[in-house]
Amino acid sequence: TRRNQAGAGGVQTYMEQENDWDRDLLLDPAWEKQQRKTFTAWCNSHLRKAGTQIENIEEDFRDGLKLMLLLEVISGERLPKPERGKMRVHKINNVNKALDFIASKGVKLVSIGAEEIVDGNAKMTLGMIWTIILRFAIQDISVEETSAKEGLLLWCQRKTAPYKNVNVQNFHMSWKDGLAFNALIHRHRPDLIDYDSLRKEDPVTNLNNAFEVAEKHLDIPKMLDAEDIVNTARPDEKAIMTYVSSFYHAFSGAQKAETAANRICKVLAVNQENEHMMENYEKLASDLLEWIRRTIPWLENREPKNTVNEMQMKQEDFRDYRCVHKPPKVWETSLLRNVSWRSTSTPSWHTLEGAEKGYEEWILSEIRRLERLEHLAEKFRQKAAIHESWTDGKEAMLTQRDYETSTLSEVKALLKKHEAFESDLAAHQDRVEQIAAIAQELNELDYYDSANVNIRCQKICDQWDVLGTLTQKRKESLERTEKQLESIDELYLEYAKRAAPFNNWMEGAMEDLQDMFIVHNIEEIQGLITAHEQFKSTLAEANKEREAIQAIQGEVQRIAQSNGIKLSGANPYTTITPESIDNKWEKAMEMVPQRDDALQGELHKQNSNDSLRAKFATQANAVGAYIQAKMEEIGRISIEMNGTLEDQLTNLRDYQTTILSYAPEVQKLENDHQLIQEALIFDNQYTSYTMEHLRVGWEQLLTTIARTINEVENQILTRDAKGISQEQLYEYRTSFNHFDKDHSGALQAEEFKACLISLGYDVENEKQGESEFNRIMSIVDPNGSGAVTFQAFIDFMSRETTDTDTADQVIASFKILAADKSYITADELRRELPPDQAEYCIARMAPYTGPDGVDGALDYMSFSTALYGESDL
């Protein structure tokens, strides 16, 4: 229905607003303790209907079984069949089924995953339970989107309003002295609480009194500890809301009667079954002991197996025993214990349980051991196969003598290739060691095929030693051949190694010297100047490097000439010539002073711009602070206005004149902003204000004071035209401002509905209430804008207050207070009406003479008829 859809959306919105713990931080220990106890008790209050409970909230929900059961109990719906396996995947699947069911109810789960619940994450588990409480316990208190918490708070405020020292404003500090809990109970069951005997300065006694009475007489389990609440600076809001919602549900329906009837039926059924079991006790006990004697030897059998499959078959037999054979025996044992607490089967059953636990632990240990063995064996086979594939053909490659007929470049290439092979060989050393380590571990764990593993491992190790010897011999041969050919080649290589980075450095320096720069402040241009100075400081060292590179080329020429060597051509390792290095160096030296001039010119420009920023910021900060202060003052004035409306109007006009006198300062700021724009300045680190922001703020300030003056003028016209008193207008303004959360001067539809509810209008009912609310909205919002102005609100309330109630309406109202009885008692009048009006009715009501009356019953029907007659007169 639309109500359920709205409710689901309300919970989602409310959860997004109330998700006050940060999931990246730990819970406050005191709050976590309160939430653990409260949420555990709340869950058990529902799980007991299914004959079970939880002890540890993060542990008992890990397999998802009791979590799914909890959701079935509180929702009245069936969830998908849970998985009964003990593996982690089964638990995750069960928890996911529960989370999917919660999500299907329109609840958005924020950062709560099945893995965290299965891992026993306390923070996530408490968050999940709070989500469930919100959806299934608190949502139904109100029918509108975000009013669940507000609806519960309004209910508490109405119920506790007549009680001294009780002022419920929230779900934490307002409940700390315990009086609010006692007031709620006394309001509905005055026979259970002696409220006048309670003292505000003794909170522990007050809290314990309320908790014990609720648990004993109202079937509300104790969810909080008095000492935790008193000793905590601020009690946990979620724990308080959960507990208070239990009072709401307990007092709002007839669920207790049904629960009591079910409990009685359950007890009677158990007693009847026990009587039947007594008749068969001896045979049942004898059969059970015989079954235990046959089962224990099977559970004590520890014969090991060689494979995981064989052990898993044993595990399946054990699961079959657990799921098929044992459950009937558990029921029989429980039945025997119910019949006779001294059952002879108890010691034998304990022996069976011990053997069962040991057998299960042995099976799991053996499976883990065999899984480890099979994993290691497969890992050994894979690594051995990879290694054998890699070594294939390596001995033939290492024994060839190809280097004897190669040139220097070819020898170097062969040597590089050999170095790469050595690196590859070294990398494979880890694999050989891993293969040997795995073989050793398989031997230690008594792997059944250890003999074949050892043979293969030894063959790999022997071949590895041979490869190492051949690799060293080939390396020595290649290095010896290389030294005979590299004298001339070494100088070319040295030149290429040093020329390439120096050439790259020069090209990069030339690009930087020619690079265009765009800066927006002094810090940026100073950073560029500093970087340029640092660059200039490196030029001397760079020139030394250039000369050293040119000297290498000179040494090449000298060796060639002195030894009669004819150079075949250019350097084989590089295309960079000595001439190209000198040419680039000369160009770079010409660019340095040009860069100096450009940077100094930009520095002068940025100093000028910074002065303009500071001047604008000084004026902007002053104007911004003035606008903000005045806006805050107007907000307080509109809420706290005292005196007659004429006095308020005079004060507001004087205040408007004061604000208008500040306009020259705003114009001065506009002139400074014009200079900023002409200089093309787009940022200002000295202020957070922009001219556009301040213009909007100034116009909003003028509009707000003008609107406030207009409202007061309209109130004067309304008062004079409709005869509304100054006090009534103040009351209407207070109610309107309370629900105008965004101070927009208008109430949205939901805010207006909440305001009507607080004033006593019954617009919550799904059918009649919705119709009544639509009728009222058509009056106050004829254009269908979705918002109600204060003037429309005053017009509506003035019409409502001038209407005259009929005698039938008054009688119907008394009948509601009397819980549909034909009479009403003095206690009921004092509980529901203000003290002076209650005493007025008691003094004037005649005793009730009907056949269903009780001592002290009063006749409200004749009183209402007479009262209506007096009103007419």
Side-chain angles (χ1 to χ4, degrees):
T1 64
R2 288 179 299 172
R3 176 183 178 186
N4 289 335
Q5 293 169 355
V11 169
Q12 179 176 336
T13 303
Y14 174 67
M15 281 191 60
E16 293 171 353
Q17 295 171 349
E18 291 294 307
N19 192 14
D20 54 0
W21 63 52
D22 188 342
R23 287 180 165 82
D24 293 328
L25 302 174
L26 294 175
L27 287 172
D28 181 89
W31 288 11
E32 182 180 0
K33 179 181 178 183
Q34 292 181 22
Q35 288 183 14
R36 280 176 182 271
K37 179 174 180 61
T38 302
F39 291 178
T40 300
W42 184 88
C43 292
N44 284 335
S45 70
H46 294 284
L47 286 174
R48 67 183 180 182
K49 300 172 185 177
T52 186
Q53 64 177 12
I54 61 171
E55 298 294 336
N56 188 312
I57 196 165
E58 66 262 31
E59 288 295 327
D60 294 348
F61 284 140
R62 289 180 62 181
D63 61 4
L65 297 177
K66 289 188 177 180
L67 178 59
M68 295 178 69
L69 182 60
L70 173 65
L71 290 172
E72 288 185 345
V73 172
I74 62 179
S75 68
E77 299 179 24
R78 295 292 296 176
L79 270 69
K81 184 177 180 181
E83 298 180 13
R84 296 293 178 177
K86 299 294 185 178
M87 298 178 67
R88 175 179 174 85
V89 66
H90 299 146
K91 299 177 181 180
I92 291 176
N93 289 341
N94 288 338
V95 174
N96 272 326
K97 291 176 182 179
L99 296 181
D100 291 341
F101 178 79
I102 297 172
S104 72
K105 298 303 179 182
V107 179
K108 181 179 181 182
L109 296 169
V110 181
S111 300
I112 298 178
E115 290 79 5
E116 288 85 354
I117 306 303
V118 172
D119 292 339
N121 187 310
K123 177 173 58 177
M124 294 302 177
T125 303
L126 292 175
M128 176 190 67
I129 297 301
W130 174 238
T131 299
I132 293 173
I133 292 171
L134 279 177
R135 173 61 182 84
F136 296 100
I138 297 178
Q139 171 191 344
D140 294 333
I141 294 174
S142 178
V143 298
E144 299 304 327
E145 289 188 0
T146 60
S147 59
K149 176 181 177 181
E150 185 177 356
L152 182 59
L153 184 62
L154 287 175
W155 179 79
C156 294
Q157 289 171 342
R158 290 201 201 99
K159 295 301 181 180
T160 60
Y163 294 86
K164 62 181 180 179
N165 296 327
V166 178
N167 183 18
V168 178
Q169 296 298 325
N170 50 57
F171 286 107
H172 38 84
M173 300 304 296
S174 297
W175 303 84
K176 194 170 183 179
D177 59 8
L179 292 177
F181 290 112
N182 284 278
L184 277 180
I185 297 174
H186 185 268
R187 180 64 179 267
H188 297 88
R189 291 290 303 277
D191 57 309
L192 300 179
I193 297 289
D194 184 8
Y195 185 85
D196 293 333
S197 67
L198 302 176
R199 294 182 297 108
K200 184 177 181 66
E201 56 272 16
D202 190 7
V204 174
T205 300
N206 298 340
L207 289 165
N208 282 328
N209 180 66
F211 297 164
E212 291 169 3
V213 169
E215 186 173 33
K216 182 177 180 182
H217 298 284
L218 302 178
D219 199 29
I220 298 176
K222 184 178 180 181
M223 300 183 185
L224 304 169
D225 281 330
E227 289 76 14
D228 290 346
I229 295 177
V230 173
N231 296 330
T232 302
R234 183 177 184 269
D236 181 59
E237 185 180 58
K238 296 176 177 61
I240 298 293
M241 283 181 65
T242 301
Y243 190 48
V244 171
S245 69
S246 298
F247 283 89
Y248 176 89
H249 292 295
F251 293 133
S252 296
Q255 185 64 32
K256 287 203 309 180
E258 182 179 348
T259 302
N262 291 337
R263 185 180 294 113
I264 292 171
C265 292
K266 183 177 179 180
V267 170
L268 291 177
V270 170
N271 287 340
Q272 291 171 348
E273 184 65 20
N274 286 342
E275 291 175 0
H276 176 71
M277 289 171 59
M278 285 290 290
E279 298 173 0
N280 301 293
Y281 170 76
E282 290 298 333
K283 184 178 184 305
L284 193 61
S286 176
D287 293 345
L288 179 61
L289 287 173
E290 178 60 24
W291 179 81
I292 292 174
R293 282 193 293 270
R294 292 196 313 270
T295 305
I296 287 177
W298 176 70
L299 293 174
E300 292 177 343
N301 181 15
R302 299 292 188 272
E303 180 184 355
K305 299 296 181 181
N306 289 333
T307 66
V308 174
N309 289 335
E310 291 175 310
M311 285 306 300
Q312 286 178 340
M313 291 177 63
K314 276 185 171 290
Q315 188 180 43
E316 287 299 323
D317 292 341
F318 182 70
R319 287 176 179 168
D320 186 65
Y321 153 80
R322 273 273 184 87
C323 298
V324 178
H325 301 291
K326 185 182 176 182
K329 304 305 178 182
V330 173
W331 179 82
E332 291 174 5
T333 301
S334 175
L335 187 60
L336 290 173
R337 289 173 181 169
N338 290 335
V339 174
S340 173
W341 64 274
R342 293 180 177 177
S343 171
T344 58
S345 66
T346 300
S348 299
W349 186 263
H350 289 165
T351 303
L352 176 73
E353 294 275 65
E356 175 182 320
K357 181 179 180 182
Y359 188 67
E360 181 180 25
E361 292 174 351
W362 174 75
I363 286 177
L364 292 177
S365 175
E366 278 297 295
I367 288 177
R368 285 194 292 268
R369 184 182 73 85
L370 292 173
E371 285 177 342
R372 174 65 177 165
L373 280 173
E374 289 189 2
H375 171 72
L376 286 173
E378 179 61 26
K379 189 174 182 181
F380 175 85
R381 289 189 289 270
Q382 290 179 357
K383 287 184 176 294
I386 293 173
H387 178 78
E388 290 164 350
S389 174
W390 180 82
T391 58
D392 184 35
K394 293 296 187 296
E395 289 187 29
M397 183 269 292
L398 291 171
T399 55
Q400 60 183 342
R401 305 176 64 86
D402 51 346
Y403 53 84
E404 294 180 346
T405 58
S406 299
T407 64
L408 175 60
S409 59
E410 291 171 344
V411 169
K412 287 184 176 292
L414 290 173
L415 189 58
K416 293 294 182 182
K417 182 178 179 181
H418 188 73
E419 289 175 355
F421 173 77
E422 286 183 316
S423 299
D424 197 11
L425 187 71
H428 279 74
Q429 176 68 34
D430 288 339
R431 178 177 288 115
V432 174
E433 292 175 355
Q434 291 172 7
I435 291 171
I438 294 172
Q440 179 64 27
E441 188 171 359
L442 288 170
N443 280 276
E444 292 173 353
L445 293 175
D446 296 329
Y447 181 53
Y448 72 94
D449 197 24
S450 294
N452 290 328
V453 169
N454 293 335
I455 293 172
R456 192 173 185 182
C457 179
Q458 187 61 46
K459 181 179 178 181
I460 289 173
C461 292
D462 292 341
Q463 186 187 32
W464 185 253
D465 292 337
V466 172
L467 289 178
T469 301
L470 293 176
T471 298
Q472 183 62 29
K473 288 182 178 180
R474 181 171 175 82
K475 180 180 180 181
E476 292 171 356
S477 298
L478 288 171
E479 289 177 344
R480 187 168 53 252
T481 303
E482 180 189 29
K483 289 180 181 178
Q484 299 170 356
L485 303 173
E486 64 183 3
S487 296
I488 296 297
D489 197 71
E490 285 178 352
L491 289 173
Y492 273 143
L493 182 61
E494 179 66 14
Y495 176 91
K497 287 181 178 179
R498 298 180 67 172
F502 185 77
N503 185 69
N504 290 337
W505 175 85
M506 284 195 301
E507 290 177 349
M510 293 172 67
E511 290 178 1
D512 292 340
L513 291 170
Q514 297 177 90
D515 185 37
M516 297 295 294
F517 54 84
I518 299 175
V519 296
H520 302 93
N521 51 55
I522 295 177
E523 288 77 14
E524 292 179 358
I525 187 61
Q526 287 177 339
L528 291 176
I529 292 174
T530 301
H532 184 63
E533 292 299 322
Q534 292 175 349
F535 166 76
K536 289 195 296 183
S537 67
T538 65
L539 292 178
E541 191 67 25
N543 190 43
K544 291 180 181 180
E545 177 66 10
R546 180 183 66 84
E547 292 172 350
I549 293 172
Q550 299 291 39
I552 293 173
Q553 180 65 22
E555 181 67 11
V556 170
Q557 297 294 335
R558 186 191 67 78
I559 293 175
Q561 292 174 2
S562 62
N563 291 281
I565 298 174
K566 183 178 180 181
L567 300 176
S568 60
N571 192 322
Y573 299 107
T574 182
T575 59
I576 301 172
T577 65
E579 293 77 15
S580 66
I581 291 178
D582 288 338
N583 291 337
K584 290 180 180 178
W585 178 260
E586 291 173 0
K587 291 181 180 178
M589 293 304 99
E590 292 173 357
M591 295 178 183
V592 171
Q594 298 173 0
R595 184 73 169 183
D596 287 331
D597 295 340
L599 291 173
Q600 290 300 322
E602 185 63 26
L603 177 62
H604 176 74
K605 176 183 176 183
Q606 290 302 324
N607 282 327
S608 175
N609 289 350
D610 201 64
S611 299
L612 292 176
R613 288 189 183 95
K615 182 179 179 183
F616 174 83
T618 300
Q619 184 67 8
N621 290 336
V623 172
Y626 176 86
I627 292 173
Q628 183 176 356
K630 294 305 177 182
M631 287 296 293
E632 293 174 354
E633 288 179 9
I634 292 174
R636 291 194 298 270
I637 289 172
S638 65
I639 295 174
E640 302 171 357
M641 288 191 296
N642 298 317
T644 66
L645 293 175
E646 286 75 10
D647 292 340
Q648 295 174 19
L649 184 60
T650 300
N651 293 336
L652 286 172
R653 286 174 174 167
D654 293 340
Y655 191 79
Q656 184 183 39
T657 302
T658 301
I659 292 175
L660 291 174
S661 67
Y662 195 76
E665 294 298 321
V666 179
Q667 184 57 45
K668 179 180 177 183
L669 183 64
E670 288 282 0
N671 296 336
D672 292 340
H673 181 252
Q674 181 64 30
L675 296 176
I676 288 284
Q677 287 185 319
E678 292 174 356
L680 299 178
I681 299 174
F682 303 105
D683 65 321
N684 194 335
Q685 69 273 27
Y686 300 113
T687 181
S688 60
Y689 293 106
T690 65
M691 195 65 235
E692 291 73 18
H693 176 219
L694 293 174
R695 287 190 190 115
V696 173
W698 176 251
E699 292 300 324
Q700 186 178 2
L701 177 62
L702 297 179
T703 302
T704 302
I705 186 62
R707 187 182 71 235
T708 306
I709 291 173
N710 184 58
E711 287 182 358
V712 174
E713 290 174 345
N714 288 337
Q715 291 177 33
I716 293 173
L717 293 175
T718 301
R719 180 199 63 190
D720 296 338
K722 300 180 182 287
I724 300 175
S725 67
Q726 184 75 21
E727 291 75 17
Q728 287 177 309
L729 281 174
Y730 179 78
E731 180 183 358
Y732 296 158
R733 168 56 72 181
T734 302
S735 299
F736 188 91
N737 288 339
H738 173 74
F739 289 94
D740 184 14
K741 303 299 184 182
D742 57 356
H743 305 293
S744 62
L747 297 180
Q748 299 302 314
E750 296 303 322
E751 293 175 337
F752 181 58
K753 177 179 283 190
C755 182
L756 291 177
I757 293 172
S758 70
L759 293 172
Y761 285 82
D762 183 15
V763 293
E764 285 187 288
N765 184 276
E766 186 172 357
K767 295 182 178 179
Q768 297 179 353
E770 188 69 18
S771 176
E772 177 63 9
F773 179 72
N774 291 335
R775 182 191 70 80
I776 295 174
M777 282 298 294
S778 67
I779 297 174
V780 298
D781 184 24
N783 295 325
S785 64
V788 180
T789 64
F790 179 66
Q791 186 61 44
F793 176 73
I794 291 178
D795 293 340
F796 170 75
M797 293 307 299
S798 64
R799 287 195 298 272
E800 290 292 300
T801 54
T802 56
D803 292 339
T804 301
D805 294 327
T806 65
D808 289 339
Q809 291 173 326
V810 174
I811 291 172
S813 298
F814 273 114
K815 188 172 184 180
I816 292 172
L817 299 184
D820 292 330
K821 299 191 298 294
S822 300
Y823 60 89
I824 194 167
T825 65
D827 288 341
E828 290 173 332
L829 289 171
R830 292 189 180 101
R831 186 171 70 236
E832 301 294 339
L833 296 179
D836 55 338
Q837 295 178 353
E839 295 304 325
Y840 176 89
C841 294
I842 293 169
R844 288 165 175 75
M845 281 188 182
Y848 179 75
T849 59
D852 56 337
V854 297
D855 292 339
L858 301 175
D859 187 356
Y860 61 81
M861 293 188 182
S862 59
F863 171 78
S864 300
T865 304
L867 182 66
Y868 184 73
E870 291 174 2
S871 298
D872 286 344
L873 292 175

